[in-house]
Structure formats: C-alpha cells, structure tokens
Amino acid sequence: LSWHWLARVAAELGDSEIASEMLGREIDLLERLSNEQPENLTRKYLLAQSLQSLALVSQQRGEENKALDILGHERELLEPLLLDKPDDVRWKDQLAQMNLLLSELDAAGGKLAEAKAAARKSADLYWGLYEAAPTVYRIMGFKNSLTMILKLSGDSQLSEADELYRRCQKFHDHAPTHVLADPAIRVQLSDLQRLWAANLRDAGRLEQAEQVLHEPATASEPDK
C-alpha cells in the first residue's frame, strides 16, 4: 500500500488536503480488505494506524469534530481486539496513542472531565507497556499523558498525578540495570521528576517540591 506513504510526504510538504485524501483512500481500501478477511489482524492494525493518522491531519486542519469521529471509529475497532487478544501489544499501543490524542481534542473542546479520563487511560496503557518492556518511546508516552493530567488538574487535585509519579519512582527504585543505563530513558525520567516538582511548586507545595528535587533522582546512576 502506498497511500500512507504519499499522505506522509504530503503532510511533510504542508499539503494537509492531499494528505487527508490519500489517507481516506487507504482507509477505504483497508476497510474493504478487512471485511473480506476479518481474521487478518495485520490489516486491522494498519487500518487503526491510518485512522489515527487521519485524525491527526484533521486536528491540524482545525476539523476537531471530524477528528473525534475518526477516533471513535478507531476505538470501536481496537477495544474488541484488545479484549480478544489482551497480550497483543499492538492494540495497547494504538489505544494509548488514541487516548492521548482524544484527551487533547476533548481539552480543546472544553470537555475537561472527558479529557482527563482519556489521559488517565493513556497513562495506564503506556505504563503497562513500559513495565513489560521499558523503551524511550513508552516512557515519553507516559510522561506526555501525565503532563495532560497535570494541565487538567486544579492545584488541589494533584493526588492522581502523585499516584502516577510515585508508581514510576517505585518501579525505577528496583529497575534492571540495563534500563537505567540507557541515557535516553534517564533523560526522560529526569524530565518527569522536574515536571512533577514544578507542578508541586506552582500549587504552593514548596516543601514537597524541594523534597522531590533532592530525592535520589528517578534517573540516577544505575546500581553497580
């Protein structure tokens, strides 16, 4: 399939109209092929990716309602697949990305409770993936989800973010050496620590912010 590649080139060139058209063609083709061979999970995965790409392009074009409709379609596709194949990381990864984008769109539309719920789902999915197999991409997804939760929480509503941050810290207190030896992962964890301290400071919780900054960093040197 070349539509996705053409859409990517068009998007990089700033032609979102052509990108949207190319992705629409690919989605039509993948939906037809998926209906003809419903057992072919790879096509459904490609369809989910294409739907998410089209939602992103629609968001960039200022078509938020269209993007929300597309993400709804993607969710209808992915959630049954995750129930049927709970150990397949492809569905978890796509749902994590989808919920993070959904959170951004809901927040932009003033639906703050829905946005926070979507960000929490994204954080939980990214964290589950990260615990199973730590990668830079997954800790970045978790950090971005936590950032959305913090943006959507009032100064007196940081308990949910605190629980997520402490979960991360506890995991890395006992992380395998090879995880903390990865400089890129350590940078992300250090950023996460500073982000949490800054939000505590902004909420007037100065003593706690100082404690976080002076704790052994989540991204400290790995144990020898």
Side-chain angles (χ1 to χ4, degrees):
L1 295 173
S2 60
W3 298 121
H4 204 118
W5 180 82
L6 291 170
R8 183 174 179 179
V9 171
E12 289 176 352
L13 293 173
D15 196 332
S16 60
E17 184 176 354
I18 294 296
S20 181
E21 180 185 347
M22 295 298 101
L23 286 167
R25 292 186 184 186
E26 182 177 57
I27 288 167
D28 289 343
L29 177 58
L30 285 169
E31 285 183 327
R32 179 171 58 79
L33 293 174
S34 295
N35 289 332
E36 290 173 358
Q37 292 183 303
E39 72 284 355
N40 190 320
L41 298 183
T42 298
R43 284 175 179 164
K44 291 184 178 180
Y45 177 62
L46 292 172
L47 175 58
Q49 288 185 314
S50 297
L51 286 166
Q52 194 161 118
S53 295
L54 183 56
L56 276 168
V57 170
S58 298
Q59 180 193 33
Q60 293 163 2
R61 288 167 58 84
E63 300 170 343
E64 286 82 5
N65 288 335
K66 180 179 178 180
L68 287 168
D69 288 343
I70 294 166
L71 291 179
H73 185 180
E74 184 184 7
R75 180 162 49 193
E76 290 172 0
L77 172 70
L78 289 173
E79 288 184 342
L81 290 169
L82 184 59
L83 288 173
D84 188 46
K85 303 281 185 182
D87 296 326
D88 193 325
V89 298
R90 292 178 298 178
W91 317 131
K92 292 180 182 178
D93 181 68
Q94 282 298 123
L95 276 169
Q97 294 179 55
M98 185 212 75
N99 276 291
L100 186 54
L101 178 55
L102 182 61
S103 177
E104 294 173 4
L105 288 165
D106 280 339
K111 297 187 286 187
L112 302 187
E114 292 89 340
K116 190 173 179 181
R120 178 58 197 247
K121 287 180 183 178
S122 177
D124 287 338
L125 285 163
Y126 273 123
W127 187 252
L129 289 164
Y130 183 74
E131 279 190 307
T135 67
V136 175
Y137 163 75
R138 289 169 177 173
I139 195 63
M140 284 181 67
F142 176 76
K143 184 183 75 173
N144 291 338
S145 302
L146 182 58
T147 300
M148 280 300 299
I149 291 171
L150 288 167
K151 286 180 180 178
L152 296 164
S153 297
D155 290 348
S156 62
Q157 299 176 311
L158 294 177
S159 58
E160 186 174 14
D162 184 53
E163 179 260 315
L164 288 165
Y165 175 76
R166 295 300 169 188
R167 185 198 301 181
C168 178
Q169 185 182 52
K170 183 177 179 181
F171 175 79
H172 286 93
D173 284 345
H174 308 283
T177 300
H178 74 274
V179 173
L180 294 183
D182 186 327
I185 285 181
R186 289 167 57 196
V187 166
Q188 292 301 318
L189 294 171
S190 184
D191 286 349
L192 187 61
Q193 187 175 30
R194 287 193 294 269
L195 169 71
W196 178 235
N199 276 272
L200 288 172
R201 183 196 61 218
D202 292 345
R205 293 157 62 175
L206 303 181
E207 185 175 342
Q208 286 178 276
E210 284 296 314
Q211 287 175 351
V212 168
L213 287 174
H214 288 93
E215 287 171 352
T218 350
S220 60
E221 292 291 332
D223 294 335
K224 303 297 183 184

